[in-house]
Amino acid sequence: MGLKQIDWVAAALALVLLAACGTADEDLADPLKPPSVYRNPQVYVTRAPTQTVDLTAVAQVNASATPEPAAFQVFTEPLVDDEQFLMDRIQSMLDEAERELNQIDINP
Amino acid sequence: MKISSFVKKALTVAAILIVVATFFFQPATVAYADDPYLDSNVPSAGMTNKDIEYMNKHILAWMKTQGQVFVDMHDTEIDFQALIDLQIQKKGDAQALEVALDQFMTDFHIAWDIHNEAAKIIGTQWGFDAQGHVTNREAALKTVTDGRYYLRDARFRMLESLRMLKRDYAAWRYKHIHR
């Protein structure tokens, strides 16, 4: 192999090497891998806003659209009658008295 | 020296008699009814005056707590009586509740008397000065020991009567619900 041919082969190899370096970007090869170099996010503005919304405006609700309850009733009966109240109170007081006595240290 | 068979028999009988006699004549055990917490076995010789003063403070606090339970039971009695009246008004009969309350009140008054006896003993503070320091060791020991004895007795009786009442009351409520 002549000297000229060797130069051509070397030049071809260098081209292949350069091409490989250009395309083998590891960030692009794996789309799930985060880029090693930070790139600014690319924002595309497709159109300018055509109307503005007044956020302080109070929405008007159509009151007539809300159905009125059919009948409004007040529950006047007590939830616990006297008998139930007394029974619960007696039970509670008996339990409390027993607990108090059981908590006393009788061996000082 | 050879021991004759008669001597052997005599020695055996004597040994058996000694064992039997030991079994029958051993000293009687402590009467648990008189001293259920075995206070008489507690050595008081090693007890310092500070210990007695601590015991005195403890039984004073105990007496106060227990006394409050007795006072509160009067409120329970009032409620219980109101429930009996309501049952008589509604159904014309509250015999089970009346019997339970009568039994409880009988036991309650006995326990209350014993508690008052403890309060009398502790209240004299015999053997202690106004600041609770021991002035007479023997008297102070008697005050705390006797006071504790009566407080324990009152507590035990009160707990028993409470448990009886709770049992009767639960039985009545069960019948009342499933009537």
Side-chain angles (χ1 to χ4, degrees), chain B residues 52-110:
Chain B
I52 300 169
E53 285 163 12
Y54 169 76
M55 283 173 73
N56 186 43
K57 274 185 193 168
H58 182 274
I59 59 170
L60 279 167
W62 176 358
M63 185 180 71
K64 192 179 166 189
T65 309
Q66 195 161 287
Q68 190 58 48
V69 173
F70 278 94
V71 171
D72 290 345
M73 284 317 295
H74 278 297
D75 294 340
T76 311
E77 186 200 356
I78 292 166
D79 280 356
F80 220 98
Q81 194 57 57
L83 184 63
I84 288 170
D85 295 343
L86 200 63
Q87 289 302 304
I88 291 171
Q89 190 186 329
K90 277 186 173 178
K91 300 188 179 72
D93 178 52
Q95 198 189 356
L97 283 177
E98 283 175 320
V99 170
L101 183 62
D102 284 349
Q103 182 60 50
F104 172 74
M105 289 315 292
T106 306
D107 298 340
F108 170 79
H109 284 300
I110 294 169

Side-chain angles (χ1 to χ4, degrees), chain B residues 96-152:
Chain B
L97 283 177
E98 283 175 320
V99 170
L101 183 62
D102 284 349
Q103 182 60 50
F104 172 74
M105 289 315 292
T106 306
D107 298 340
F108 170 79
H109 284 300
I110 294 169
W112 179 243
D113 287 344
I114 294 168
H115 180 85
N116 284 338
E117 194 62 36
K120 275 183 208 163
I121 293 167
I122 298 163
T124 57
Q125 286 288 287
W126 190 40
F128 296 96
D129 64 9
Q131 283 73 42
H133 299 125
V134 174
T135 53
N136 180 340
R137 185 180 165 82
E138 289 303 314
L141 262 175
K142 182 141 183 66
T143 300
V144 293
T145 310
D146 288 357
R148 185 172 63 178
Y149 177 83
Y150 282 103
L151 283 177
R152 273 177 184 157

Side-chain angles (χ1 to χ4, degrees), chain A residues 2-3 5-6 8 16 18 20 29 31 34 36-37 45 56-58 60 69-70 73-74 76 85 87 91 103-105:
Chain A
L3 188 63
Q5 285 175 321
I6 290 170
W8 277 109
V16 169
L18 282 171
S36 56
V37 179
V45 179
T56 59
V58 177
Q60 295 295 317
Q73 291 181 335
V74 178
T76 53
F85 171 75
M87 286 196 294
Q91 187 67 54
Q103 279 177 352
I104 293 172
D105 177 14

